[in-house]
């Protein structure tokens, strides 16, 4: 789910399989640093940078996110079908929604990129969950809320498309609750929560749960 840096639980991916990860870095030192951290975790299956595609997680490192880097992220996720974790030094307001909408569900501040934090983000990305720093969740809510208010003022409202059950689940995702907590809160089974998320992301062609939350915020559902 869209969480705010919860403690990592390495080795607990649903399938129990190792997660194939390719590190994309702007320089050899950054790349080797990330590789040395990830090698410590047996659930991580390190791959070459050119090993991309469905089921792969790209760990993408950048000091700042320029248009070239954003284009590479889009290609990794949209064209090649992989998941992406962005490790970045700084992110401008104008870039945040672009990052989420191009399919990046997990973001780690470069200054907080410990081995445990990186694995937490990789596991979340592999599951299709979101994992954003707490300050970014607040910025995302504020930014998309502003966009929605502007659009609503022009058009008089937002299109329908989400059921009340989907809205209830997405509100709790946005608050950082995990699947079990959402199920408990709504008196659903965990399978039901997963089915709700899978159904809406598939129907609306959303790339992951962070993108689903961004969509719901943009359309004024939450």
């Amino acid at each position: 789910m869209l969480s705010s840096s919860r403690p990592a639980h390495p080795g607990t991916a649903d399938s129990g399989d190792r997660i194939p990860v390719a590190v994309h870095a702007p320089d050899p030192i950054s790349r080797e640093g990330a590789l040395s951290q990830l090698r410590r975790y047996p659930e991580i299956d390190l791959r070459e940078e050119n090993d991309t595609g469905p089921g792969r997680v790209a760990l993408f490192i950048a000091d700042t996110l320029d248009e070239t880097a954003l284009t590479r992220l889009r290609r990794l996720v949209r064209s090649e079908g992989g998941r992406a974790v962005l490790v970045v030094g700084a992110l401008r307001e104008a870039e945040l929604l672009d990052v989420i909408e191009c399919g990046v569900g997990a973001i780690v501040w470069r200054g907080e990129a410990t081995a445990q934090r990186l694995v937490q983000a990789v596991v979340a990305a592999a599951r299709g969950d979101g994992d954003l720093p707490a300050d970014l969740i607040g910025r995302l809510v504020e930014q998309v809320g502003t966009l929605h208010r502007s659009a609503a003022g022009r058009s008089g409202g937002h299109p329908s498309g989400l059921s009340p059950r989907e809205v209830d689940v997405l509100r709790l995702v946005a608050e950082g609750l995990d699947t079990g907590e959402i199920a408990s809160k709504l008196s659903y089974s965990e399978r039901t929560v997963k089915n709700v998320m899978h159904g809406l992301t598939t129907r609306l062609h959303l790339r992951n749960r962070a993108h689903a939350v961004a969509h719901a915020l943009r359309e004024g559902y939450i």
Side-chain angles (χ1 to χ4, degrees):
M1 294 297 176
L2 186 64
S3 62
S4 55
S5 304
R6 293 174 180 273
H9 297 285
T12 57
D14 291 341
S15 66
D17 295 333
R18 300 179 71 202
I19 302 170
V21 178
V23 176
H24 301 256
D27 57 80
I29 292 177
S30 297
R31 175 175 165 78
E32 186 53 42
L35 290 172
S36 66
Q37 288 182 309
L38 294 175
R39 285 192 189 103
R40 299 160 48 189
Y41 292 83
E43 64 271 31
I44 302 298
D45 180 13
L46 291 171
R47 303 293 183 89
E48 293 298 324
E49 188 172 349
N50 60 2
D51 187 348
T52 59
R56 305 294 192 264
V57 175
L59 185 73
F60 195 95
I61 303 171
D63 289 319
T64 58
L65 196 67
D66 58 19
E67 188 57 38
T68 299
L70 188 58
T71 299
R72 289 185 65 197
L73 276 174
R74 288 194 183 104
R75 176 178 56 79
L76 287 168
V77 178
R78 294 182 179 181
S79 301
E80 301 175 9
R83 311 276 190 179
V85 174
L86 174 64
V87 181
V88 68
L91 201 59
R92 295 190 297 268
E93 294 289 338
E95 298 164 340
L96 177 56
L97 194 58
D98 284 339
V99 168
I100 296 299
E101 292 191 335
C102 86
V104 176
I107 300 173
V108 179
W109 292 128
R110 193 160 181 170
E112 299 174 358
T114 62
Q116 185 182 39
R117 184 71 187 88
L118 290 178
V119 173
Q120 173 189 325
V122 166
V123 170
R127 290 173 172 168
D129 291 350
D131 187 355
L132 305 183
D135 58 324
L136 277 188
I137 294 177
R139 285 166 59 186
L140 179 63
V141 170
E142 180 178 356
Q143 182 179 358
V144 181
T146 300
L147 288 173
H148 167 67
R149 287 190 295 273
S150 175
R154 293 192 302 270
S155 65
H158 58 74
S160 59
L162 294 182
S163 70
R165 171 182 282 192
E166 289 170 338
V167 173
D168 287 343
V169 169
L170 282 173
R171 282 197 182 108
L172 296 178
V173 173
E175 291 175 12
L177 276 65
D178 62 26
T179 301
E181 291 167 334
I182 293 172
S184 176
K185 193 94 168 177
L186 298 177
S187 299
Y188 295 159
S189 68
E190 291 191 23
R191 181 178 294 275
T192 295
V193 174
K194 291 177 181 178
N195 286 343
V196 168
M197 289 303 308
H198 177 74
L200 74 91
T201 54
T202 300
R203 187 179 76 251
L204 299 176
H205 306 290
L206 303 169
R207 296 174 190 87
N208 51 47
R209 295 178 183 184
H211 192 192
V213 170
H215 172 82
L217 286 163
R218 181 192 286 275
E219 298 299 327
Y221 290 104
I222 59 177

